[in-house]
Amino acid sequence: MNILGLESSCDETAAAVVTDGRLVLSSVVASQFDTHERFGGVVPELASREHLRAVVPVVEQALAQANVPIDAVAVTQGPGLIGSLLVGITFAKAFALARKVPLIAVNHLEGHIHAVLLEHPETELPALALIVSGGHTHFYRCEPNFRYELLSRTRDDAAGEAYDKVAKLLGYKYPGGPTLDLLAPYGNPRAVKFTRSKMSGNSLDLSFSGIKTAVLRWTEARDMTAEIAARRALRTLREPTLADWLATTPQTTLDLIASFQYTVIDELLSRVRIFAEDLDLTNVIVSGGVACNAGLRAAARRLPYNISFPTPQLSTDNAAMIAAAAYPRFLAGHRAALDLRPKANFSLAML
Ligand code: KG4
Ligand code: ZN
């Protein structure tokens, strides 16, 4: 059973062919980093246009690499940017119609969970899932038969968004997570103490906008104009290396970055501990772009649970996870009609 998966919910146009939800025959991802870099974040209108440009060549490449007959096409229905989702959905409908194959709609977050199940099929449900990316920071309890319970979520910025905004204000490139992750080990994680937000209602919900603002205030309290300008100038000359970043980043800034990373990881993993203990869950899935974070992976592995991460290629947005998530749904008889519409706010708990 070969499923062609399509993903276009944010700033990656991706297509993949996966056999039986397990074997990745091809996985092609066209990122739009260069388009959005100068804005320091994703510009929805530009993202849609880039998807339109990329979708045909990306699918052609995925099909050519896999070189097998396709039995069904799966597409991300949401959550995501409406114009971006529309490109993938429209393409998938046309493909389903032309090739006379079934169309399967997939929730992007269920896709992130399957990025882990794809590589760790031994993971048993129920499991605790942390989806942590540029758009999401959500904890779910996952049960068999596509049942998900939302346990907590960010009330404002996603963790990846906080990384991107902090990196931007410090003069690093977009997306900022990978650069700050590389620099964090060179600083003292205890140097800057960030005030933790107290949540009304669900006290286990998260907030990352306060940390971002605290970093902004920290930079404003010091004269960092020249330092930040030097890093911005460097980016216009060449693709900076770690050595370049280290040469333009004083120790105080490295300490700030290490403390920021320490706080974000602690906010996430303290909740993993609470949910795992309270709900008696030993299997933990961590997925989404921020799951690439080396500090998060190292700290998570020290916890006494069975924690699984996807490989970095499957942590960030991709279509193999969409094709993998579609497979059990296909077996359960789920089919989408050709009037399928995108859902910008598609909650996993609503499925
Ligand atoms: O899952 P993803 O590709 O797209 C969304 O659905 O958002 O995640 C992208 C996000 C960006 O915010 C990026 O900065 C962050 O993941 N990210 C990281 C790392 N690698 C990517 N954040 C922290 N550490 C990393 N190593
Ligand atoms: Zn994602």
Side-chain angles (χ1 to χ4, degrees):
M1 168 83 204
N2 302 311
I3 300 185
L4 168 69
L6 280 168
E7 157 62 38
S8 68
S9 64
C10 190
D11 59 344
E12 261 101 21
T13 319
V17 178
V18 178
T19 306
D20 294 343
R22 292 276 168 86
L23 181 66
V24 182
L25 300 183
S26 62
S27 179
V28 180
V29 180
S31 292
Q32 305 175 0
F33 293 156
D34 296 344
T35 305
H36 304 289
E37 143 96 285
R38 68 199 166 98
F39 303 101
V42 178
V43 183
E45 179 59 29
L46 296 182
S48 317
R49 284 191 226 166
E50 289 300 314
H51 285 302
L52 272 177
R53 237 193 293 271
V55 69
V56 171
V58 163
V59 172
E60 278 177 347
Q61 201 183 331
L63 290 176
Q65 271 174 23
N67 196 23
V68 289
I70 299 298
D71 303 303
V73 57
V75 66
T76 305
Q77 189 185 5
L81 302 169
I82 207 89
S84 294
L85 290 164
L86 259 176
V87 177
I89 290 179
T90 308
F91 188 96
K93 285 179 186 173
F95 188 93
L97 197 64
R99 298 268 187 123
K100 299 187 175 54
V101 293
L103 176 67
I104 304 160
V106 173
N107 180 297
H108 181 79
L109 303 177
E110 189 171 62
H112 274 301
I113 291 170
H114 277 268
V116 176
L117 299 179
L118 171 69
E119 293 179 304
H120 302 276
E122 73 287 355
T123 308
E124 283 177 14
L125 302 183
L128 174 66
L130 163 60
I131 301 166
V132 60
S133 69
H136 308 97
T137 305
H138 287 48
F139 282 92
Y140 287 97
R141 178 193 164 94
C142 312
E143 291 187 52
N145 299 322
F146 319 111
R147 282 182 299 132
Y148 303 93
E149 183 192 347
L150 179 64
L151 301 172
S152 92
R153 62 180 170 81
T154 178
R155 297 267 181 93
D156 40 57
D157 293 351
E161 196 177 352
Y163 267 97
D164 294 338
K165 287 178 175 170
V166 164
K168 182 182 177 184
L169 74 91
L170 292 175
Y172 299 100
K173 64 173 190 172
Y174 171 83
T179 308
L180 299 188
D181 188 19
L182 279 178
L183 292 172
Y186 295 90
N188 172 6
R190 312 269 176 177
V192 182
K193 299 265 177 287
F194 291 103
T195 318
R196 309 297 180 99
S197 328
K198 286 225 168 31
M199 290 294 162
S200 57
N202 183 354
S203 61
L204 293 172
D205 273 354
L206 301 108
S207 163
F208 290 105
S209 73
I211 305 176
K212 174 200 67 193
T213 309
V215 171
L216 178 63
R217 298 281 169 268
W218 194 94
T219 59
E220 284 169 351
R222 290 154 185 83
D223 186 12
M224 292 177 63
T225 323
E227 177 195 331
I228 293 170
R231 286 193 287 268
R232 291 203 176 123
L234 178 69
R235 280 164 42 201
T236 63
L237 297 176
R238 59 173 183 268
E239 179 64 27
T241 61
L242 173 59
D244 288 329
W245 290 133
L246 285 171
T248 53
T249 308
Q251 191 58 47
T252 44
T253 307
L254 291 171
D255 289 346
L256 172 76
I257 292 169
S259 303
F260 166 76
Q261 167 135 316
Y262 171 83
T263 309
V264 172
I265 293 173
D266 189 58
E267 286 287 304
L268 298 174
L269 294 187
S270 58
R271 283 162 179 82
V272 166
R273 278 194 298 269
I274 294 171
F275 289 130
E277 298 303 327
D278 287 0
L279 304 174
D280 199 18
L281 297 169
T282 50
N283 297 316
V284 182
I285 290 168
V286 185
S287 193
V290 182
C292 292
N293 189 275
L296 175 66
R297 283 179 185 241
R301 296 219 188 283
R302 290 195 288 273
L303 297 178
Y305 313 116
N306 171 27
I307 301 200
S308 311
F309 287 84
T311 53
Q313 301 90 291
L314 289 182
S315 295
T316 50
D317 287 350
N318 66 87
M321 68 185 197
I322 302 303
Y327 181 64
R329 288 195 172 266
F330 177 85
L331 294 182
H334 297 204
R335 303 288 184 273
L338 286 179
D339 62 355
L340 181 75
R341 285 169 185 273
K343 286 187 186 166
N345 304 306
F346 190 5
S347 162
L348 195 47
M350 273 167 21
L351 287 176

